[in-house]
Amino acid sequence: SNPKKRAPRSRGRDPAMGKDEMNPSEVLEKCIAGEVPEGNALPQLLHIYCEDSRAVVQALCHKATSVLQQSDAGQAAVRAGAFLVNVASFLDKHREDEKPRKKGRASGSLPEASKPLLEHILFLTGGKNRGPRDKATRAQGCTMLASLALQVPEHAGAQDKLLEFSLDKVPSIREKAVRGLAGLMPSQLAEMALLARTSDPCTAVRASAVRGLRISVTSVATILGRIDDIEACVRSQLFLRLSEQPSAVDVHGPAALTRLVAGLSDRTSSVRTAAGQAVDAWCQHLGGVLVLLDRCDLLSDEALGETAAAALGSRFPEEGLKVVKRWLGSCKAKDAKTLPDGPGPVLFARMALAAMTEATREEVLDVAVLVQRAEAALEACEKASGSAWQDYLLRQLLHVVALADIADEGLRRNVEKLAEAVLFRGPLSKTPVKDFGTTDGTCRMAQSAIDLGIVILRKVSGLVRFQVQTVKTQALEARCSTRVVLLVSEICQPFETAEDDEGEGQSFTTRLSLQIQELNQQIESAQKTKDNIDAAKTKAAAAEEYIQAQKLKDQARKNDKDLATLQAERDRLLQKRDTVCLRVLSIVSALLRWSNSDLRKDPALMGTLHQILLPMVSLPALSKAVEVSVVYAICLFSVRDGEVAKAHWSLMLTLLRGLQEVEGADGEASVNLQCDRARAAVAARALADCARIHGGLLDRDEVLSAASALAAVPFSSRQVVIEPLCGWLLSLGHIFFEEHLKEPVLEVQWALGWMLVEAFKQRRRDPEEVERPKEPPKKRGLSWVTRPANKQKPVDVPEVNPREQEDAEAIAMASRLTQFFALLPKLPGKHGAPMLSLALESVAESGLWRRGVLLPHNEDGQTRWLRNFSWPELFNFVHERLPTEMRFRLWRCSLQICVSSPELAPLAEIPFALASAAAEAPPGAPELLQEALDLGADPEALGPLCSRLPVPPKAKKAPALGVPPEPKLLLAPADGVNAENERRAELACLGINIEVWAPSDLEVPKTVPLHHRMRCAQKAKKGPPQKGIENCDSGNSAPPSEDLKAAQPEPKRRRFKQAEDAPRLPLQEIRQASRKSAEV
């Protein structure tokens, strides 16, 4: 009643409010319209809420209804919805500080505003299992629900509705639903939905799902599967999520943690920043960088471990300096030979030292102490033979020795003695035989202890890897090679003992090999005796001659004892011979890898070929490892010298063509096949490299013979030659094209075809699993992690199934092949684009196109249509990269398939591929299509193409007598089949088992795929099609692709089914009539 007391409140009001200041609807309306700032409206609404909370809630619900009804207004509706959510959250935030002022209300806090608004929006969006048809309304409702879920995280109805929205077909709705689910209270259903959305096709949905998931034993497997996501934003959200829960580092296994730490070197700066935040949080949680590095798996994948350690060394230079001083700096004499307990400290010190400046490195590093530690590590390797950890420690120390600067002569001699000791007693490379000839295997061999010993020995001799060749450097190279060859002779000297007259003039390897060969014959004889005794014993027991059976049993026991003795002696001799041979071969191969010497001016290095390698390759009873190592060393010589390559050209061709003899063997169970593939892989790389390097010395026929041998590889061993063949074609493809113009080189064209098929090969995927509340959906494909069992244990890299590993390698190879074929038309010269065209023609003319036919496969009662590769993707890839004048060849070979195999061509979706490219059809395509229809192609399948191509002009009158008719561009069906059979027979004569690559014929399925069936059902009402491009049904549609499906408008869902007898307006006829009138 006192006006003086009301004055301050009146001065705080907004004059624009006037008499409507107590009406919440007016306040909301004016703020949404922009007449009142939001900062003034929120306190006013709070004041009204304290007076009458129910009126404010009703006003919010009423405005929410209007917003959803006008959701198609665009950004205005979005801003209005966000404002309503802000009002509700503001009221809930300050309701604890305010007291209700309405008379008759009990004292206490004000009621919530977000919960009734959320329930009202749930009602507007249809509730559970119902929803609006308009996607704008669904999007607006999902946005408001997701925002309000942060205020009411325990609401069950909101969770159910957001779960429905997370399966919506609109990506933006799924993304907002995922954000809302992340803000709810933790529940199994919400976690399952987020786990499913981490593999969503939309980038924003995956990023939001990864950021919203809580890291636990059940979710860490799926989260870590996004490490290799193609989008940088998803990877950055992953690391941001990890940085928010540093205690979850205990859940990760060693291999997974190594992969995460390696994210510091990601190719995108945003991911590196996010990974840095996660690593900082882990280091703070664990108590240091070394503790984190000790938890990583540094031995399984050494390259990945080095990447992680280098990133940590660059990020934490102070900790790196301390570790370098501790293990590589000066210390007391008694501590000089102390070795660390794990690989982390030495690796971290090495990477930190490499990141330092040269001045800091000289100040910190003590080379004398380093040499003593390396000698101690070498002694530890000899004591613990076969220990991977000791070998790894020695190699890390040798890396640091190779990095150090040596200026003192005494210190140089000590380092030289260390290098010689490593060559004498260092551990050999443990590269498997199957990895010889691969890039990974070569990299592992180049980082072995023997290679590091060669590098250190060259460094103390004044040589580096890359330097200008002069007379002085060649003299140093020859001196270093001589020193290494003398070391090899010293290694073999203890075994060269005096023998009897029969052994004079023979080396110890020859003597041991002859002894092993004799033992093998004795073992084979003893094995046959054992088989005979077992058969006789079984026969005697069956005849109840027990005395004879007992005698045979005694003979078998004595024979088994003799057989065991022979096998033990053979194994001892094998170990003795192979150890020396493998060490000598490792030293020679390492010297060839790191030397810059001219072989013709280096008699010591060149002499190893004739005095060591060639005699060794002719030894009897060679083991597989020694045989592959000898071939590898000979191939290294061939790459270095053209004359050596020409002399051993036939040997390398024979090794590569030898794969055709073992086509049907089991590669996983046969050691011989692994050896043959390893030798072939080494020979394939050597042939390709020699052809490119020594092309001026080799004849054109020899260069082309390398490509022919690479192309005629068996189907089971095709992965061996892909990289060498791509390299040959990129460098010497013009030779193939020139020779192909003179006379077709079918094997190389065949190789282009099957490589193109491999580039578009489709991997078999498991069917989509239905989301069940009992367990989260299982992850498909290859991953860094596995699903955890019931016991809570760190998630780590699983043991990969061999089939899955082969699929992963094939996928990586397909990616590289796609890059190769994309680069092919861009090569300088005029041969690149024709080679791409020849590749597709090879697929069409050899029968490889049948691998793209959709065939039914029944699994678990469901029929799935699978194919080996996608013809539409392959055709579109080639078609868009060729010039217009060359596309006619693609259309001709594709339509020839439609003529020769009219039943299988639609199942391979060849007509659909042509229809998709109709807008860029080459000149003459309508005439070619008309000719195909005249020869018997399916007019129904080619209907979409007919509707998109212009009608060709009518054929001219028949030529006069004596005038030859125009040649046909397509063959008749029988002639087309005969031409394909002739091509397959010619390829078979070249040594290609064409039936293994692609069948000559396929049985036409009795059913058709669903999308083909729907198309046929639509055409059944229009009667049978007629031949001729002008009579083809214009309403035919090609099988829908994913892009076409996405471009089609969303079909309207009808609430009630229309009665069958309801009158229908002739809308189509009316539209056609209106179009004709408009044209007139």
Side-chain angles (χ1 to χ4, degrees), residues 533-730:
I533 292 175
D534 291 341
K537 185 172 61 176
T538 303
K539 185 177 180 181
E544 298 183 356
E545 299 178 358
Y546 299 111
I547 298 177
Q548 181 66 19
Q550 183 62 33
K551 293 180 180 179
L552 292 172
K553 185 177 181 180
D554 295 339
Q555 293 179 9
R557 187 181 298 109
K558 180 180 178 182
N559 184 76
D560 292 343
K561 184 178 180 180
D562 295 341
L563 182 61
T565 303
L566 291 174
Q567 290 176 347
E569 179 65 16
R570 183 192 62 179
D571 294 341
R572 186 186 67 82
L573 294 178
L574 277 174
Q575 177 70 18
K576 182 178 180 181
R577 184 198 65 180
D578 290 355
T579 301
V580 178
C581 290
L582 289 176
R583 182 171 296 279
V584 171
L585 291 173
S586 299
I587 294 174
V588 173
S589 300
L591 183 60
L592 286 170
R593 274 193 294 268
W594 295 100
S595 176
N596 295 327
S597 177
D598 185 358
L599 296 183
R600 296 296 169 180
K601 299 178 181 179
D602 195 340
L605 184 56
M606 193 65 182
T608 58
L609 174 64
H610 302 285
Q611 299 175 8
I612 296 178
L613 299 183
L614 295 181
M616 191 178 295
V617 78
S618 60
L619 291 176
L622 276 182
S623 62
K624 303 303 178 184
V626 174
E627 184 178 353
V628 176
S629 299
V630 173
V631 172
Y632 180 78
I634 293 176
C635 289
L636 282 179
F637 266 104
S638 301
V639 174
R640 292 289 302 273
D641 187 79
E643 295 293 338
V644 176
K646 198 166 185 177
H648 296 86
W649 195 258
S650 58
L651 171 64
M652 292 184 286
L653 290 177
T654 303
L655 293 176
L656 183 55
R657 290 168 179 166
L659 286 176
Q660 299 177 0
E661 301 176 0
V662 291
E663 168 70 20
D666 186 2
E668 297 179 359
S670 176
V671 179
N672 294 330
L673 181 56
Q674 288 186 0
C675 177
D676 293 337
R677 285 182 177 172
R679 291 184 309 178
V682 172
R685 286 180 176 269
L687 284 171
D689 293 341
C690 292
R692 287 181 289 179
I693 297 174
H694 311 305
L697 184 62
L698 299 173
D699 298 336
R700 177 173 283 237
D701 294 338
E702 290 177 331
V703 173
L704 197 59
S705 66
S708 301
L710 292 171
V713 70
F715 177 79
S716 59
S717 304
R718 63 193 183 280
Q719 301 291 340
V720 171
V721 301
I722 288 180
E723 289 188 6
L725 193 55
C726 290
W728 191 97
L729 290 171
L730 288 176

Side-chain angles (χ1 to χ4, degrees), residues 921-955:
E927 292 80 2
L928 196 64
L929 176 59
Q930 180 64 50
E931 185 177 345
L933 293 171
D934 295 339
L935 291 174
D938 188 1
E940 184 179 2
L942 294 173
L945 182 60
C946 296
S947 63
R948 299 177 187 181
L949 290 181
V951 178
K954 295 183 179 180

